[in-house]
Amino acid sequence: MGFYSVVKEWKDFDFEGYFSKVTDEDVVDSIYKEHLTEYDFLNLLSPIAKNHLEEMARRANEIKTQHFGNIISLYMPIYISNFCTNNCTYCGFSKKNHIVRKHQNLEQIEEEAKEIAKTGVEHILMLTGEAHGLVTLDYLKDAVKVLKKYFNSVSIEVMPLEEWEYKELVDIGLDGLTVYQETYNEERYDEVHLSGKKKDYHFRLDTPERGAKAGIRTIGIGPLFGLSEIRKEAFMAGMHLKYLTDNYLNSSFSISLPRINPAEGGFQPDHPLDDITFVQFMTAFRIFQIKADINISTREVASFRDHLMHMGITKMSVGSKTDVGGYTENDPSTCQFEISDNRSAEETIQAIRDNGYQPIFKDWEQIK
Amino acid sequence: MDKLVLKGHEFESRLLTGTGKFSDKNLIAPMLKASGSNIITMALRRVNFSNPKENVLNYIPKDVTLLPNTSGARNAEEAIKIARIAREAGCGDFIKIEIINDMKYLMPDNEETIKATKVLADEGFIVLPYIVPDLITAKKLEEAGAAAVMPLGSPIGSNKGLQTKALIEMINENKKVPVIVDAGIGTPSQAAEAMEMGVDAVLVNTAISTAEDPVKMGEAFALGVKAGRMAYLSKLAKTSKYANASSPLTDFLFRGEK
Ligand code: SF4
């Protein structure tokens, strides 16, 4: 049954009713508790908790410093294929969009890897669209092998795979898996995923668990804010994080809070997440799950990212290009979404130092 | 002060420190100077051998002993590989075994630790294993050739001090190799408390590296450790639930007074 049993458990919960009864005292209580329940997490996500934003931010930073130290880990994304056989309404790679498509061969991947390696960052996240028949398990394995030559840690954000497929990737040295649920709301999920394999809500929902069973060490999850009611999404993502953390002690988990950015196709989010609520959610995650990594991508603008450094985050992508061939080619393909922090890797790394944190280029010793 | 001896190697200071959590690696050297610490642990997984600017080894003074650790290892096999990589990379023969397979509480795996200790001690490493305090494990580690045992005071990052005191006491009372309390020590007074118990040293990382002034905090810990050691060596007066009159109440019986 997996995490879906938890989804069902909360399906008919009266979130509005609960939120309307949360008091300032409840929020403060939850901020400083050592072991938070699901209801404490709800208190921190409640509209009234905005009155305590500064306190939440301070507490989040304190927890982060205590458990992780004054550090921020770096990673860089590499897009190796933007072909996609799915049709997701919010994504630039969707098959209905007429964009410049590219699919890199191993030599091209190696060229990009060399370019990225010059920044000194040793953690890489490899991304593709979901193009069945083109992006195959063998292609992914070959690509991971190439990247392992240049980077200590290789993660993937590709189509969900079966457990045995993840195992094969782990055996050649894959460390990390990122898979966003996009939306935990089953009906909404069906509406925004028009066609393709991604339409299968359950297969996607169980992906992080399959990855953990296959022995992947770090697994990133998150909702895509904008698709459905934001407080419920944040809550279910928190439940997902808790479920995975409680059941798979030998993997570590991270949470991202991506918000819909303009993409090819012009999708407008009907549940926008504003900056204040973003900060509220992010700090709520930190207080609720102290050992989880919190990851901020270049979807957010530079100055906002700099402020977020002080609120409990542990991971940042730097110098991102979201187009295939973005690091080496002059006429790159169309990107998946527009990035908002356009600083180079060096500039972001300097900003991390200027803000009083140590950038971590490498946090992994390659032993496979 | 009497010296800390690990497999024949002598150290002036009984405070071990760490490199991992500083905001700026340039703070490491002044912290070491202020604290007098002459053993520093570093996660091999964080060492950038290929990138001199990011290589933490370049920030550690040459007269300080490196204690590479195997953090990131999830079993004995991985810890052994990491230890060998560290030695090959010129980090010396000291190795702190850290095998963690529980990412929720970060509790070390004692069983795998014993296995790794045996192999590495046989290969000539000076092995310092990090464990959940357990007397039987400590005994097996001595047997396996450990140079010391490193029980945790409380969970990593909790800063809760000696929550496992009773268990550490058992290890300490029966030790054949030095006992170094690792993890959980958040204040100099907690370090002093551990030293008063008679353990041989403490390892403090987070509490120093994330302090607002890590240099001064390093010195504060050095003083705490020294105070605790001196108190231990000078044999603490016994504590008692009841007040002790300074002149004995029954003395008169023996002096023939009425
Ligand atoms: S979100 Fe993924 S699966 Fe959907 S269209 Fe974009 S790349 Fe394809």
Side-chain angles (χ1 to χ4, degrees), chain B residues 52-75:
Chain B
K53 239 179 68 200
E54 295 308 326
N55 190 349
V56 68
L57 296 175
N58 297 339
Y59 295 80
I60 302 171
K62 296 287 166 264
D63 57 341
V64 173
T65 297
L66 292 177
L67 176 57
N69 66 57
T70 66
S71 81
R74 310 264 169 124
N75 54 44

Side-chain angles (χ1 to χ4, degrees), chain A residues 136-177:
Chain A
T136 60
L137 179 63
D138 283 338
Y139 175 66
L140 293 174
K141 276 164 73 176
D142 289 341
V144 168
K145 278 186 205 152
V146 170
L147 294 176
K148 283 301 275 188
K149 292 203 273 181
Y150 299 90
F151 304 98
N152 260 284
S153 163
V154 177
S155 300
I156 51 169
E157 188 176 340
V158 304
M159 70 282 191
L161 300 173
E162 299 287 353
E163 187 183 325
W164 66 267
E165 296 178 297
Y166 286 131
K167 267 218 175 79
E168 293 205 354
L169 288 163
V170 168
D171 285 343
I172 57 169
L174 181 83
D175 305 310
L177 165 69

Side-chain angles (χ1 to χ4, degrees), chain B residues 3-11 94 125-128 146-148 176-178:
Chain B
K3 290 188 171 128
L4 171 68
V5 185
L6 298 170
K7 276 258 160 88
H9 298 258
E10 293 188 348
F11 299 94
F94 279 79
F125 280 95
I126 300 160
V127 184
L128 284 75
K176 289 208 186 85
V177 296

Side-chain angles (χ1 to χ4, degrees), chain A residues 29-184:
Chain A
D29 212 45
S30 299
I31 294 176
Y32 294 103
K33 252 195 191 170
E34 196 173 351
H35 300 288
L36 283 81
T37 66
E38 289 91 330
Y39 295 94
D40 289 306
F41 186 47
L42 278 172
N43 294 347
L44 299 178
L45 296 175
S46 70
I48 198 176
K50 266 189 207 158
N51 299 343
H52 305 275
L53 206 56
E54 179 61 23
E55 233 172 323
M56 285 174 71
R58 283 178 193 278
R59 178 82 183 121
N61 195 35
E62 190 180 284
I63 292 172
K64 185 257 164 125
T65 310
Q66 189 183 337
H67 291 272
F68 294 86
N70 295 313
I71 55 107
I72 290 178
S73 300
L74 312 176
Y75 71 95
M76 282 179 89
I78 176 172
Y79 282 75
I80 61 169
S81 176
N82 66 355
F83 281 86
C84 192
T85 46
N86 288 335
N87 191 350
C88 310
T89 50
Y90 49 84
C91 175
F93 287 178
S94 157
K95 82 168 186 201
K96 72 169 196 316
N97 289 332
H98 298 288
I99 59 166
V100 184
R101 304 271 176 184
K102 279 196 178 158
H103 180 82
Q104 294 199 305
N105 61 31
L106 297 178
E107 288 77 56
Q108 290 168 318
I109 295 171
E110 185 143 11
E111 285 312 305
E112 287 264 299
K114 279 184 193 157
E115 199 55 38
I116 296 172
K118 285 183 191 158
T119 61
V121 176
E122 300 206 29
H123 289 209
I124 193 131
L125 173 65
M126 177 180 100
L127 301 97
T128 66
E130 290 198 22
H132 299 277
L134 185 62
V135 177
T136 60
L137 179 63
D138 283 338
Y139 175 66
L140 293 174
K141 276 164 73 176
D142 289 341
V144 168
K145 278 186 205 152
V146 170
L147 294 176
K148 283 301 275 188
K149 292 203 273 181
Y150 299 90
F151 304 98
N152 260 284
S153 163
V154 177
S155 300
I156 51 169
E157 188 176 340
V158 304
M159 70 282 191
L161 300 173
E162 299 287 353
E163 187 183 325
W164 66 267
E165 296 178 297
Y166 286 131
K167 267 218 175 79
E168 293 205 354
L169 288 163
V170 168
D171 285 343
I172 57 169
L174 181 83
D175 305 310
L177 165 69
T178 298
V179 59
Y180 299 140
Q181 182 56 30
E182 321 294 13
T183 171
Y184 285 90

